[in-house]
Amino acid sequence: MTNMPSTVQAKYEDIRDIIKTGHIAMFHGKGLYTKIIRATTGIPTHVGCLHVEEGGSVGVWEALNTGVVKNFASQRIIDYDGCVWIATLKPWALARLTNHAAMHEYLQRNRGARYSWTKAVLSFFGQITRIPGKSWGRGKFCSELVAGWLKAGGLDLGADSTPTPFEVANWDIIEQIIQVKGDPKEIGGKKK
C-alpha cells in the first residue's frame, strides 16, 4: 500500500473514453452499512470491476448483497445514491493485465455467486486480511472480486487477496482517482 493520489472531479461522460479493463469503480453510499464501514475502515465502502466489453461498452461487475452482478457503468453511476469514483491504474499495472479473456471468464464464472456476509462483517473491522490462511467460505465480497479479477488478468497482488475497499483505494497500482458523482469528497481514512 502507498499514499493514494488526490481526488479530481470530472463528469463520467468526459472520462468514459479513458476507462480501460482493470480500472476500479469505488463507491460510498448513504445507508447504515456504509456508515459502519466508514467509521471502521474509511472511504470507499464498496468497489467494483470496470471491464470494457466487446463493442466498447463499459460494464461494472460488483459483489452486492444480491450476489455478483453486472451493470452498464453509466447507468450504475446514474442510479447510485452516493459518491462514485473511478480509479485508473498506473501504466505498468495495466501492462501486466495481459489476459483480458481470463478476466472476463473470471467474472462470468462468478456471476450470480452469493454475497459473503461473513467477509462484509469482517471488513467492518478491517479484519479480512489479518487472519492468515483463514478461508471465509465460497461467497464473494466486493474487494475480493476485484482482487481475483486482476489476478486472473496477470496482476497478482500477493497475499492481499481479500482486502477491504479502503485497502483497494490504497494499492500502489492506482494512478488517479476521479470522482464522477456526488459532493466533492476525498477518499480517506476513518471518520473522526
Side-chain angles (χ1 to χ4, degrees):
M1 291 204 322
T2 186
N3 292 330
M4 68 183 79
S6 61
T7 303
V8 298
Q9 306 287 315
K11 293 179 181 174
Y12 175 76
E13 55 269 17
D14 293 340
I15 65 148
R16 161 60 187 85
D17 290 341
I18 69 163
I19 294 175
K20 307 236 182 302
T21 293
H23 290 173
I24 302 165
M26 300 187 296
F27 303 86
H28 178 66
K30 298 179 180 178
L32 177 62
Y33 182 73
T34 292
K35 289 176 184 174
I36 293 169
I37 294 174
R38 180 178 180 194
T40 57
T41 62
I43 297 172
T45 54
H46 175 66
V47 292
C49 311
L50 291 169
H51 196 89
V52 179
E53 307 290 336
E54 237 178 80
S57 65
V58 178
V60 60
W61 292 75
E62 304 168 79
L64 302 173
N65 60 0
T66 56
V68 174
V69 299
K70 174 194 164 196
N71 292 291
F72 287 108
S74 57
Q75 191 61 50
R76 179 69 168 128
I77 291 166
I78 290 167
D79 293 344
Y80 191 74
D81 186 20
C83 296
V84 182
W85 299 264
I86 305 297
T88 64
L89 300 190
K90 293 177 179 174
W92 66 263
L94 281 172
R96 289 190 187 166
L97 293 175
T98 57
N99 196 341
H100 289 196
M103 294 171 83
H104 189 260
E105 204 173 279
Y106 173 84
L107 294 172
Q108 289 291 350
R109 188 172 57 251
N110 283 286
R111 184 180 226 155
R114 67 182 175 82
Y115 187 71
S116 176
W117 285 103
T118 303
K119 294 171 190 171
V121 169
L122 289 171
S123 82
F124 288 157
F125 305 104
Q127 296 301 308
I128 294 176
T129 59
R130 309 299 184 274
I131 306 171
K134 177 66 178 164
S135 171
W136 299 107
R138 294 184 319 222
K140 288 292 179 193
F141 182 61
C142 63
S143 45
E144 175 188 26
L145 184 72
V146 170
W149 169 66
L150 293 173
K151 184 176 182 177
L155 186 58
D156 190 352
L157 298 166
D160 208 10
S161 63
T162 311
T164 66
F166 179 70
E167 289 169 332
V168 169
N170 278 282
W171 281 341
D172 67 357
I173 62 172
I174 305 290
E175 179 174 59
Q176 185 175 33
I177 298 173
I178 306 164
Q179 187 171 0
V180 295
K181 184 172 184 183
D183 293 332
K185 188 179 294 283
E186 289 286 327
I187 299 289
K190 298 175 188 178
K191 186 177 180 180
K192 303 290 183 211

